[in-house]
Amino acid sequence: MRVKFENARILDIKTGKVTKGVLTTCDGKIEYVGAPKADESVKYDRVINANNNLLMPSFKNAHSHSPMTILRASAENMVLMDWLYKVVFPAEAKLTADDVYWGTKLAIMEMLKSGISATFDMYFYTESVAKAFKEAGFRACFCSAVSGGNTDEELKTALKRLYNEYDKLNSYSPLIKYYAGMHAEYTASDGLLKGISAFVNDAKIPFYTHMSEAVGESEGCVERRGKTPAELFSSLGLWNYGGGVYHAVHVTDHDIKLMRDHNIMVSTNPCCNAKIASGIAPIEKYAANGIRVGIGTDGPASNNSISMFKEMYMLICLQRILTSKPNVLSGLFALQSATIGSSKVMGLSNTETLDAGQDADLIMIDMASPSMQPEADIANNLVYAGGNELIKLTMVNGNILYEDGKFNIGVDENEVYSRVNQIKNRIFA
Ligand SMILES: [Zn+2]
């Protein structure tokens, strides 16, 4: 598949500078970026007149639970632990592998519409979720969601699930990766923590988990285990090969030092943290300490949307509330976090920029839109005034999966809507 975008404006995400030109893709890679070539004999499958619209690297969702679209708006106005234990866990117990497949299809549509080309997901029935991504041609990373392990039998089952999924999903599709991880410290037994650490150190691989999200979570860990989650993970060797943490809202300066020393990246989820009053992650401190930040939406049951525009806006605004400084971080920082930062968190280093040789994961921004005018500063317009309505096209691995309101993911959108409503009615009957 060869695609050529003509008359485009192209964003250099590293500098924020925009140049006019042509971008071509071939077999999933960006082939050429620059001035139009005078004599070109190449035949393209599609030549797209970008009409002076903006091409930029796609957004990557550095933390989500895609199938949780099913639970959207089903549990509102609750604190995290009540939300989890009183509504989410009982509802999830009724979900089937087919249910999470359809919930994932809905999430894929929502992500494409927000210019997101890849997600870092964590859920159960992982093979069903992976099947939905593979069929759609969507890029996905998984982190193991194992928890528990309080009895020998439970521990054996959890670790077996981790080993099996790691092997199976890492060879399932070129667009799918699987990383070692677990749900969270507060749902893991000592045996599980040790078992995962042995796996991580044997295979010399990074480790990912939710960490220090809710108020009281870190204090609870200190009571249970005499250490903060960051101190616990580093002391158990779980961070010997780097990795990342989702949320990292309530951390100490010592935690930040440990994260920096172990190359731990942060996937921040500002909208979800604000909506369920978890707090504001110290992103300015992370950036000042050289800790890489990517942006995730978290699951659509707690957020409730999957929109990278909302996340970028909230990321900056919350830092300004937290620090009382109107000049802390910048629109470009948010844009780079949602692209380069998230790619780094997800280990997708070939999707960071629009340079030749990178994977062709890109979006086209509608510049003839009121919120993008006047063009005083494109990055700031995108972050502070932009929304999903700006996304004209989302390309994943060289394939256009969303264009001008239409999805190209192998399934009719009305069937997806009908299925998820049937599932929602059944599990909440
Ligand atoms: Zn989460």
Side-chain angles (χ1 to χ4, degrees):
M1 175 87 173
R2 286 189 110 116
V3 178
K4 181 182 187 185
F5 295 93
E6 295 179 326
N7 305 314
R9 282 189 278 178
I10 298 159
L11 178 70
D12 179 344
I13 192 68
K14 288 191 169 158
T15 62
K17 289 206 171 77
V18 174
T19 52
K20 292 194 175 190
V22 165
L23 184 149
T24 69
T25 70
C26 178
D27 295 337
K29 301 276 181 211
I30 295 171
E31 190 180 33
Y32 173 80
V33 185
K37 291 178 182 169
D39 54 337
E40 194 174 46
S41 54
V42 176
K43 289 259 179 298
Y44 292 97
D45 298 291
R46 271 198 69 187
V47 176
I48 296 171
N49 185 350
N51 279 321
N52 218 22
N53 286 318
L54 183 77
L55 295 179
M56 63 170 283
S58 55
F59 302 125
K60 285 91 191 171
N61 186 356
H63 177 55
S64 190
H65 311 274
S66 290
M68 291 183 91
T69 48
I70 301 285
L71 307 182
R72 182 179 356 238
S74 293
E76 297 294 338
N77 315 320
M78 301 173 85
V79 298
L80 177 69
M81 293 302 162
D82 282 352
W83 175 85
L84 261 180
Y85 287 95
K86 292 183 180 166
V87 181
V88 172
F89 290 158
E92 285 181 334
K94 297 181 191 168
L95 289 175
T96 66
D98 195 52
D99 295 341
V100 306
Y101 169 88
W102 288 105
T104 304
K105 291 280 186 203
L106 182 62
I108 291 168
M109 291 164 59
E110 197 173 350
M111 287 192 274
L112 290 170
K113 208 163 180 160
S114 189
I116 297 169
S117 67
T119 183
F120 198 170
D121 247 63
M122 173 196 264
Y123 214 57
F124 50 92
Y125 295 127
T126 314
E127 283 176 47
S128 258
V129 181
K131 181 169 176 263
F133 287 132
K134 186 179 180 179
E135 285 175 2
F138 198 82
R139 204 180 289 280
C141 301
F142 286 90
C143 159
S144 168
V146 292
S147 62
N150 292 302
T151 64
D152 285 353
E153 197 52 39
E154 231 185 78
L155 179 60
K156 240 167 73 184
T157 307
L159 290 173
K160 200 169 151 202
R161 178 182 157 200
L162 167 63
Y163 308 150
N164 287 347
E165 286 185 350
Y166 187 86
D167 286 343
K168 196 158 192 182
L169 290 179
N170 274 321
S171 53
Y172 184 69
S173 153
L175 299 193
I176 288 178
K177 286 182 173 215
Y178 188 95
Y179 292 105
M182 63 177 195
H183 174 252
E185 175 277 329
Y186 59 86
T187 52
S189 65
D190 289 347
L192 187 65
L193 290 165
K194 284 186 188 137
I196 299 174
S197 180
F199 182 66
V200 159
N201 282 286
D202 260 10
K204 300 183 171 45
I205 49 176
F207 167 78
Y208 293 86
T209 189
H210 292 108
M211 188 185 87
S212 304
E213 174 181 3
V215 176
E217 187 186 318
S218 292
E219 289 85 342
C221 184
V222 172
E223 273 170 35
R224 280 186 294 277
R225 294 173 155 135
K227 293 182 171 81
T228 65
E231 290 166 353
L232 181 74
F233 298 154
S234 56
S235 71
L236 289 172
L238 284 159
W239 284 358
N240 286 352
Y241 296 92
V245 286
Y246 313 125
H247 301 291
V249 175
H250 302 280
V251 291
T252 63
D253 285 348
H254 184 235
D255 292 341
I256 292 176
K257 184 182 176 303
L258 290 171
M259 290 160 71
R260 185 192 60 202
D261 292 351
H262 289 88
N263 292 321
I264 297 302
M265 297 174 276
V266 171
S267 170
T268 189
N269 306 249
C271 290
C272 165
N273 294 157
K275 182 168 180 286
I276 58 174
S278 293
I280 304 173
I283 302 303
E284 185 205 15
K285 276 194 184 176
Y286 291 142
N289 278 278
I291 293 173
R292 178 62 73 174
V293 174
I295 306 178
T297 61
D298 209 352
S302 55
N303 185 317
N304 299 0
S305 78
I306 316 180
S307 164
M308 197 49 80
F309 288 98
K310 277 186 176 177
E311 301 297 335
M312 293 191 293
Y313 182 89
M314 284 290 272
L315 168 64
I316 301 300
C317 292
L318 291 176
Q319 288 309 295
R320 291 177 181 184
I321 291 172
L322 184 68
T323 59
S324 300
K325 288 190 246 169
N327 57 350
V328 77
L329 303 178
S330 66
L332 186 59
F333 174 88
L335 212 55
Q336 289 170 336
S337 297
T339 51
I340 301 173
S342 289
S343 291
K344 295 234 188 264
V345 170
M346 297 162 74
L348 300 174
S349 58
N350 217 39
T351 64
E352 293 178 8
T353 63
L354 295 190
D355 292 314
Q358 287 264 300
D359 291 330
D361 288 22
L362 57 83
I363 52 180
M364 194 197 288
I365 301 287
D366 186 1
M367 295 297 289
S369 182
S371 60
M372 291 304 285
Q373 299 294 324
E375 298 177 8
D377 184 306
I378 288 177
N380 285 323
N381 279 357
L382 280 167
V383 170
Y384 300 122
N388 289 355
E389 72 282 356
L390 297 179
I391 303 296
K392 280 187 73 62
L393 173 152
T394 305
M395 174 182 267
V396 185
N397 196 39
N399 297 310
I400 297 166
L401 302 191
Y402 175 77
E403 187 176 9
D404 291 325
K406 299 236 165 10
F407 297 97
N408 174 30
I409 57 168
V411 63
D412 179 66
E413 62 184 274
N414 290 314
E415 179 171 11
V416 177
Y417 301 148
S418 159
R419 296 273 192 162
V420 295
N421 277 290
Q422 283 168 24
I423 297 163
K424 185 267 299 172
N425 290 339
R426 194 193 78 238
I427 63 171
F428 290 108

